[in-house]
Amino acid sequence: MKNTVLTFAKAKEEGTKLTMLTAYDYSTAKLINDSGINSILVGDSLGNVMLGYEDTISVTMEDMIHHAKAVAKGAPDALVVVDMPFMSYQTSVYDAVVNAGRLMKEGRANAVKLEGGTTVAPAIKAIVDAGIPVCAHIGLTPQSINAFGGNRVQGKSEAAAKQLIEDALAVEAAGAFAVVIEAVPKKLADLITKKLSIPTIGIGAGEGCDGQVLVYQDMLGMFSDFTPKFVKRFANVGEVMRAAFKQYDEEVKNGSFPAVEHTYAIDDDIIEKLY
Ligand code: KIV
C-alpha cells in the first residue's frame, strides 16, 4: 500500500517508527520499496555518492529530476521525497514554488524536502499552499556547509539549541508534514520530537526521533570518501562488489567466463556452411 503523508501523521500519533532511505535509481528504489521502508529520499547527497562531488552545492534541478523520475518508477509503495537543490528555493518564494512544482510534475515526487528553519518558513508555507507536501530539514544542513565552516554537529550551545527549537516550531507552523533533524545532540532531538506534532526523522540525532534516515551507500558500506559518526554499516556490500568485480576480471582473462551455459547455440550444419 502506498505510504503517504497520512502514514507519517498516523505513525506520530501511534508512536510507531518511520523508516526512510535514500535512493537515486530504479533498481535500488525497487529493492528498498520491496523491503517495506516507508519512504525513499532522492537526496541531493546524490552529488556526493552518485556524481562524486565533494559537497551538494553543484547539484542542479535537472540532476534531481533525472534521478527522481527513475526512483518514482521503482517505488510504488514508498513515499518518494525529493530534495530541492541549492539555490532552487533560497532565491525567492516564487522560485521555491516553481521548482517544487517541477519536482512533482517532471520528477513524479510525492513530496519535496528543503533545508532550513525560520528563514525558509515562508517558502515552505507557499509550497504547501500550492498542494505540495514539504519535509523540512534542520540541524546540519549540508547546503550551508560553507556558512557552517564544515560538517559539524549543530545545536550544542544554549543559543544554538534555542534556535533549533525555534526552527522546528517554525517549519511545523509553516505546514511541513515532517522534519529531518541532522547531526544534533540526542537530548535536544528528543526535546524537539516531544514539542512537535509532526514526525521527526533523525540522522545523527538519536533513537528518540520518530523515524530514521540514512544514505543507502553509507549503510551498505559502498561509499568511503567520508563516513559520519552516525552511520551504522548494516552490510559490507562494497566488499562483495569489489570481490565480484575482481572475480569477473580474472574469469574473463583466464577464459572461464563465459561458460557454455552463458552462450547461444546454432546448428553445426549452418555454421559449417559459413567457413
Ligand atoms: O541528501 C540527503 O541524502 C539528505 C539526508 C542525509 C537526510 O538530505
Side-chain angles (χ1 to χ4, degrees):
M1 223 174 65
K2 184 75 181 173
N3 284 267
T4 69
V5 293
L6 299 181
T7 317
F8 273 57
K10 193 160 177 262
K12 177 81 180 187
E13 211 178 288
E14 295 178 350
T16 52
K17 297 280 187 189
L18 290 159
T19 48
M20 180 187 265
L21 281 175
T22 64
Y24 317 94
D25 69 278
Y26 173 74
S27 308
T28 311
K30 270 182 87 168
L31 289 168
I32 294 174
N33 182 86
D34 296 350
S35 308
I37 301 289
N38 295 107
S39 178
I40 295 180
L41 172 66
V42 186
D44 62 353
S45 51
L46 69 84
N48 305 110
V49 295
M50 302 301 289
L51 304 177
Y53 302 154
E54 66 186 43
D55 54 41
T56 59
I57 300 297
S58 303
V59 175
T60 65
M61 279 293 296
E62 275 58 42
D63 292 331
M64 295 311 301
I65 289 167
H66 179 74
H67 288 270
K69 268 189 206 167
V71 168
K73 286 203 190 100
D77 305 314
L79 180 80
V80 178
V81 180
V82 180
D83 258 342
M84 299 195 69
F86 185 54
M87 285 300 129
S88 68
Y89 58 94
Q90 292 93 338
T91 44
S92 70
V93 168
Y94 176 83
D95 286 350
V97 177
V98 169
N99 286 320
R102 285 193 67 198
L103 294 177
M104 302 295 283
K105 285 170 75 98
E106 298 172 52
R108 301 298 303 170
N110 301 130
V112 300
K113 176 166 85 56
L114 54 84
E115 297 181 3
T118 50
T119 54
V120 294
I124 293 176
K125 183 173 181 329
I127 296 169
V128 171
D129 285 348
I132 300 172
V134 176
C135 178
H137 183 162
I138 61 169
L140 173 56
T141 45
Q143 291 174 16
S144 302
I145 184 176
N146 291 296
F148 291 147
N151 283 324
R152 52 188 70 231
V153 62
Q154 299 294 306
K156 293 267 276 186
S157 70
E158 187 182 337
K162 277 187 177 150
Q163 182 59 52
L164 265 183
I165 294 169
E166 231 181 88
D167 286 338
L169 293 171
V171 298
E172 176 178 69
F177 75 93
V179 55
V180 167
I181 305 181
E182 180 166 353
V184 164
K186 176 195 148 35
K187 286 184 180 169
L188 178 57
D190 289 351
L191 179 61
I192 292 172
T193 299
K194 274 203 192 81
K195 281 181 179 281
L196 295 189
S197 59
I198 57 171
T200 56
I201 310 295
I203 174 163
E207 91 299 339
C209 290
D210 299 305
Q212 298 293 325
V213 58
L214 281 176
V215 170
Y216 90 84
Q217 286 93 337
D218 286 341
M219 58 95 74
L220 293 183
M222 294 169 65
F223 182 75
S224 53
D225 288 6
F226 57 89
T227 307
K229 173 186 165 123
F230 52 73
V231 168
K232 174 176 173 181
R233 193 168 278 187
F234 285 80
N236 207 339
V237 175
E239 269 312 304
V240 174
M241 288 172 78
R242 226 178 259 122
F245 296 151
K246 203 161 174 280
Q247 188 180 342
Y248 167 76
D249 182 66
E250 278 165 16
E251 289 191 17
V252 169
K253 287 176 179 164
N254 70 22
S256 60
F257 175 82
V260 179
E261 65 267 30
H262 308 120
T263 58
Y264 299 99
I266 186 171
D267 286 345
D268 283 348
D269 49 349
I270 295 177
I271 271 293
E272 273 156 23
K273 283 186 198 145
L274 302 177
Y275 275 92

